[in-house]
Amino acid sequence: MAVRHSDALVKQLAVLLLGGRRVTALTGAGVSTESGIPDFRSPQDGLWHQADPRRLASISGLRADPQSFYAFWRWRFGRLAEAEPNSCHRVLAAMEAKGLLAAVITQNIDGLHRRSGSKRVLEVHGTYEQCHCLDCSADYPAPLLWQNLDRGQIPRCGLCGGLIKPRVVLFEEAMPPVFEEAVAEIQRSDRLLVLGSSLEVYPVAGLVPTSHARGAQIAIVNREPTPYDHLAAVVIHRQLGEVMAQLAEELSLPVR
Ligand code: NAD
Ligand code: ZN
């Protein structure tokens, strides 16, 4: 059978990864769309075409209109809780198990990398599975938040009365300490595999030029072009599920 152009690109991707001393993956919402979780910026079904990010995903939005903020996140978390890892998550976990991947840096808050068996996962935008007080940062179990919302109550901190929010990084919020670890991981790696990210959200998108500047080879797999495609040695504009299944074959990984 003749090799299609895109198959040749996946072979190039495998060669690039196998030639690395230390490979790190950087993932975005696109790795979870095939698990049924909408991303933010896809042209048709991205969440930001239906919702206003400044109001529903920012600190000022939470303070100004907690009702709308909580209604949106409650709906969203229902979707997240139902989702299962897909083949992209599984291939990354299998790569790590085989010593072909050092870490996954993810912008996703859905926990699916951890659930699929990846061990070193740097969740630089936090996780929906934990909650904390916006004012004093006290930790709260996530179910408490949802129980309050189910009763129609605004969830407030027992210590200071502040609003309780999921431990996800909102607009206007500082990055968590794990972001420094991600930067260090990028500095140590000579290969960067970017999957399913529009690379429009900073400071995470800035990890790509940082990686390039330190001499790493970069591969990007994303349905649409990104602002950093020109820095990558391999760019594949296709659906991740297909590409990762082919990559698993190229790397002889036992994944379906
Ligand atoms: P984004 O929405 O900006 O970009 C996602 C990219 O993935 C798009 O360019 C799209 O073309 C591509 N894509 C979507 N499905 C794909 C598929 N099946 N195969 C190949 N490419 C596909 O997302 P981002 O870059 O991660 O940044 C936005 C922010 O979104 C992050 O802060 C993240 O926290 C948040 N987010 C997270 C989740 C989640 O946890 N699953 C979901 C939505 C948004
Ligand atoms: Zn508090």
Side-chain angles (χ1 to χ4, degrees):
M1 193 176 74
V3 176
R4 281 181 288 129
H5 179 59
S6 54
D7 293 341
L9 276 178
V10 180
K11 281 188 200 299
Q12 268 184 42
L13 173 60
V15 169
L16 181 142
L17 296 174
L18 289 170
R21 192 181 31 77
R22 190 175 177 92
V23 182
T24 290
L26 171 62
T27 70
V31 306
S32 293
T33 54
E34 291 173 50
S35 292
I37 302 173
D39 63 9
F40 279 174
R41 292 177 185 75
S42 270
Q44 270 138 41
D45 43 11
L47 273 180
W48 281 170
H49 298 285
Q50 300 149 39
D52 173 1
R54 291 285 148 195
R55 203 161 59 91
L56 299 174
S58 67
I59 298 289
S60 53
L62 168 57
R63 289 199 191 280
D65 183 3
Q67 307 278 5
S68 301
F69 176 94
Y70 288 122
F72 170 71
W73 285 90
R74 198 174 179 293
W75 166 80
R76 193 154 178 237
F77 291 160
R79 303 277 304 260
L80 292 171
E82 284 167 8
E84 294 293 336
N86 64 49
S87 65
C88 183
H89 300 106
R90 287 195 288 274
V91 171
L92 290 174
M95 283 176 65
E96 185 186 22
K98 206 177 166 187
L100 298 175
L101 185 69
V104 178
I105 300 169
T106 187
Q107 300 169 81
N108 295 343
I109 58 164
D110 55 35
L112 292 182
H113 285 301
R114 276 183 286 111
R115 279 183 50 203
S116 68
S118 284
K119 299 280 183 281
R120 184 155 163 73
V121 182
L122 306 178
E123 295 175 306
V124 292
H125 284 170
T127 169
Y128 85 104
E129 293 163 319
Q130 295 167 17
C131 291
H132 68 154
C133 168
L134 179 56
D135 293 331
C136 75
S137 211
D139 287 313
Y140 284 94
L144 186 86
L145 177 65
W146 313 127
Q147 283 159 14
N148 269 270
L149 296 178
D150 284 345
R151 289 197 294 265
Q153 290 164 357
I154 296 288
R156 291 202 174 269
C157 174
L159 299 174
C160 77
L163 295 165
I164 297 176
K165 66 175 268 293
R167 208 176 256 293
V168 299
V169 178
L170 301 176
F171 290 109
E172 304 154 1
E173 213 171 11
M175 293 295 278
V178 70
F179 184 67
E180 289 309 313
E181 241 183 280
V183 173
E185 195 60 66
I186 291 287
Q187 301 287 2
R188 280 199 292 271
S189 299
D190 63 347
R191 297 288 186 274
L192 180 64
L193 173 60
V194 181
L195 303 174
S197 175
S198 64
L199 297 180
E200 284 178 14
V201 177
Y202 286 82
V204 173
L207 295 175
V208 177
T210 301
S211 166
H212 186 257
R214 84 126 339 265
Q217 289 199 32
I218 297 168
I220 297 179
V221 185
N222 199 61
R223 224 159 37 191
E224 274 114 40
T226 81
Y228 290 119
D229 284 0
H230 65 286
L231 299 184
V234 176
V235 179
I236 304 179
H237 292 155
R238 281 174 60 201
Q239 198 73 6
L240 270 162
E242 300 163 15
V243 173
M244 294 306 275
Q246 283 175 20
L247 180 65
E249 274 182 38
E250 294 293 335
L251 298 175
S252 306
L253 298 172
V255 188
R256 305 236 153 255

